[in-house]
Amino acid sequence: MLSLTNKIPIFFKQIISKIHLKLFNLRKTNFDRIVFYPEVKNEDDLKCILDKINWYLPQKQIVFLHFLGVGTGVLSPSNVIFVDKSELKLLLKNKNSLILLNASWKLFSPSLIFRWSNIKIIDPFFYSYVESYNWQSLTFGLLLPYEKAEFKSKSVNNFKKMVLYYQGKTKAYCHVTGPSFDNYRNYSFDSDAIQIICNSIVKNIDFLHYINKPDILCFADAVFHFGTSEYAKQFRKNVEEVVEKYQCFVILPDTILPVFYFNYPKLRPFLIGIESKYLGSFNFPKSKELWHFNTGNILSFLMLPIASSLVDRIFIFGADGRESNETYFWKHSSTAQYSGLMATVFEQHPSFFRDRDYNNYYDTHCDLLRKLIEYGEAKGKVYKSLTPSFIPVLKSRYNEK
């Protein structure tokens, strides 16, 4: 499967991805069954797949799966039904079957060539973020319209609670995870301000104590936060601990909200799902307009828009940006990163990293962050960077005093 998938040229995968998405979105009827295809050939693959099904489908929708092994000691989730080859073929033909395709080259097989509107590609070797996002949005996509409306209502109610709770505040800090974050003890943060943290900062207990407590936690990454790698699992364990201890609100994409809602019932009073839009202008979320332009970066997608919806003065801490000779997204804080678990993310989501143009990502990030800050400043907001930054819009708003 690996060698055949990798033989498909990247540019062809891009085209396939766009065509497939359009065909899938044209589908009007709901799915009433989920079929995993092709067959699973060994126990190691089976364990990995069952782990994903258990995490991404917390409502326990039934998944039909064909395993070639002679028997297995692997503990299966209650919503998995093993079928033989003939049953699998029949399920693939059913017009109401959602097919989770784990080998993208099978798109052109006789049994699937005319079924693209029924397929979600979950092949980790396919293209870019397709696999990770399709898993992330799986449960959300299976919800009926009234169920999606119910989840939106839950988010709106929690958003209203948050706005009411922080009414009267005038200042917010947005803490991100660049190397300068490690110098936090050299700074004093106003205890009366809103403290907004993101991502793996949840592991730094000393910092959370230093700022008194986090008020809002934002995260949105399909790979690092919503996957089933050991990295993602440790991150979510820390999220659960931090939210239970500090009762902070959690801002995340609406497409993953149901997964957290069912897997972590104790977090329900704090979860706020934000809808992503990919066209148009920016928006500072409000209870009647709980959305933002998805910039692909946690600072500009969730942290700054949420801060700007609550207060007029926003201070950014730890957004170092990227030097010209760097080859990854950018450098990270040593105290706010699960460095020893990074390899587990690379192993589970190879196409996400293989197909990433880090230079283009950074340039786009800088441009969108500039436009967002200028949008906010036109509305009377004030933004300052507390730490030095290579990002032009923050560099010009840095005051070492």
Side-chain angles (χ1 to χ4, degrees), residues 140 143-157 254 257-258 273 275 287 290:
F140 184 82
L143 296 176
L144 297 172
Y146 81 90
E147 293 174 311
K148 289 181 180 178
E150 288 176 353
F151 273 106
K152 184 174 182 179
S153 177
K154 297 177 194 298
S155 290
V156 168
N157 290 337
D254 63 346
L257 178 64
E275 180 186 355
S287 59
L290 209 53

Side-chain angles (χ1 to χ4, degrees), residues 13-82:
K13 291 178 182 178
Q14 290 177 311
I15 296 170
I16 293 171
S17 179
K18 291 178 180 178
I19 294 173
H20 168 255
L21 183 61
K22 286 184 178 180
L23 290 173
F24 186 88
N25 289 339
L26 287 173
R27 182 184 172 88
K28 302 298 182 184
T29 55
N30 295 313
F31 299 106
D32 61 15
R33 68 202 66 198
I34 305 171
V35 184
F36 188 91
Y37 186 76
E39 66 279 347
V40 183
K41 296 181 178 180
N42 61 67
E43 285 199 3
D44 286 341
D45 287 346
L46 181 63
K47 287 178 183 178
C48 181
I49 291 158
L50 294 181
D51 191 28
K52 290 179 179 179
I53 290 172
N54 194 48
W55 161 247
Y56 288 111
L57 291 171
Q59 282 187 291
K60 300 300 180 185
Q61 295 94 333
I62 299 298
V63 180
F64 296 92
L65 182 151
H66 179 40
F67 178 55
L68 289 182
V70 179
T72 175
V74 178
L75 183 63
S76 301
S78 58
N79 59 327
V80 174
I81 296 177
F82 291 97

Side-chain angles (χ1 to χ4, degrees), residues 212-279:
N212 188 34
K213 77 178 191 70
D215 298 302
I216 299 171
L217 166 62
C218 301
F219 53 93
D221 196 284
V223 166
F224 290 99
H225 307 142
F226 308 144
T228 54
S229 66
E230 291 307 309
Y231 182 110
K233 289 178 181 178
Q234 182 59 50
F235 166 74
R236 292 195 295 269
K237 180 176 183 294
N238 289 146
V239 167
E240 189 175 24
E241 294 166 347
V242 166
V243 177
E244 287 189 26
K245 180 177 181 179
Y246 295 108
Q247 307 283 282
C248 56
F249 290 95
V250 178
I251 316 290
L252 70 177
D254 63 346
T255 51
I256 196 67
L257 178 64
V259 175
F260 274 80
Y261 186 85
F262 290 113
N263 279 311
Y264 297 105
K266 290 183 180 179
L267 303 189
R268 291 175 183 177
F270 311 102
L271 295 172
I272 299 172
I274 301 293
E275 180 186 355
S276 294
K277 292 193 178 181
Y278 298 91
L279 295 174

Side-chain angles (χ1 to χ4, degrees), residues 292-315:
H292 189 248
F293 179 78
N294 194 323
T295 63
N297 177 269
I298 193 62
L299 180 62
S300 51
F301 172 39
L302 293 180
M303 299 179 78
L304 287 179
I306 291 297
S308 301
S309 72
L310 297 172
V311 298
D312 289 334
R313 298 170 63 209
I314 298 99
F315 298 88

Side-chain angles (χ1 to χ4, degrees), residues 78-126:
S78 58
N79 59 327
V80 174
I81 296 177
F82 291 97
V83 296
D84 60 26
K85 189 174 182 179
S86 60
E87 291 173 309
L88 183 65
K89 285 184 177 180
L90 289 174
L91 287 164
L92 291 176
K93 292 178 181 179
N94 192 299
K95 65 179 181 180
N96 293 324
S97 291
L98 171 61
I99 302 166
L100 300 182
L101 184 62
N102 200 38
S104 54
W105 54 272
K106 289 277 189 178
L107 282 167
F108 301 97
S109 64
S111 58
L112 297 184
I113 189 67
F114 298 112
R115 306 299 310 283
W116 283 22
S117 61
N118 287 59
I119 294 171
K120 281 277 190 181
I121 300 172
I122 55 163
D123 181 352
F125 301 102
F126 178 52

